[in-house]
Amino acid sequence: GLGRIGVRLGEDGIARAVDLREGLGAATWPLLAEEVLRVARRLPAAAAAADRQAAEVPAALSHLLLREDLRRIRFAGPPGTLPRIPYASLLQGNVPPELVAGRIVLIGVTATGLGDFVPTPVSAESQPMPGVEVLANVLLAMRDGQLIRDLPRLPALLLAAFLAGVPMLWLPRLMPLPGLLLS
């Protein structure tokens, strides 16, 4: 399979989301995590996107990078939460075969100073997460159906207005200090 690594950094430089589809002129390239699950035959039916046919793209739009289906990543924990095995130990036969049998194994660099490291909400800038571990978190979240969708704009606005309006019910009835503490 062929997939891309498309972690989207927020305005603050923190990696929180991925686009399920991306491409030039048409968003047809899937995430590497999706392709790994598809090749391993572990892609949940809910996550299996319909095969997209490359539509005829006007020449004026064929150079634009298009992204679709933004999802937030549900991280398993801070860096080092997911099990790691040194690749040299695996090659030298120091790892029992049953430890990796039937599992999806991702190979990547986790040593400080090598490879790609990105700050995440569970690590921030104090201890950036290796790119292969971010990929593993995306893969696990996709496999378990736990990639997070943003609430559509109208329901989000209504919920925010409701939450902003609720304190107005009790604030006029309270003295200043209890009202401040309760709010």
Side-chain angles (χ1 to χ4, degrees):
L2 179 64
R4 62 173 176 72
I5 300 172
V7 177
R8 190 183 283 201
L9 300 178
E11 292 177 6
D12 57 357
I14 305 289
R16 292 186 180 91
V18 292
D19 294 293
L20 297 184
R21 299 280 171 198
E22 188 176 79
L24 292 175
T28 56
W29 303 331
L31 276 173
L32 181 58
E34 181 182 335
E35 277 303 304
V36 168
L37 289 170
R38 182 175 285 118
V39 168
R41 294 189 175 108
R42 294 190 187 173
L43 185 65
D51 290 335
R52 298 180 185 220
Q53 300 295 327
E56 191 70 28
V57 178
L61 300 177
S62 64
H63 66 284
L64 295 177
L65 182 65
L66 299 177
R67 296 174 170 167
E68 291 181 359
D69 299 331
L70 177 75
R71 298 289 190 275
R72 307 270 176 210
I73 305 168
R74 182 174 187 276
F75 289 90
T81 299
L82 301 177
R84 296 180 187 179
I85 300 170
Y87 188 64
S89 297
L90 192 64
L91 283 178
Q92 294 168 354
N94 298 335
V95 176
E98 58 273 3
L99 190 62
V100 294
R103 296 180 183 227
I104 295 173
V105 178
L106 301 175
I107 299 170
V109 179
T110 58
T112 305
L114 298 175
D116 58 332
F117 285 79
V118 292
T120 66
V122 295
S123 67
E125 295 179 13
S126 62
Q127 183 186 6
M129 186 176 284
V132 67
E133 193 168 354
V134 174
L135 174 63
N137 276 282
V138 172
L139 192 144
L140 288 174
M142 184 176 278
R143 182 196 69 187
D144 298 339
Q146 294 183 343
L147 285 175
I148 303 165
R149 285 181 191 248
D150 284 346
L151 196 59
R153 187 171 303 242
L154 181 61
L157 287 173
L158 292 174
L159 179 63
F162 173 75
L163 292 176
V166 167
M168 299 303 161
L169 298 174
W170 70 71
L171 283 177
R173 297 186 178 112
L174 297 175
M175 296 297 289
L177 182 60
L180 177 65
L181 293 175
L182 189 59
S183 293

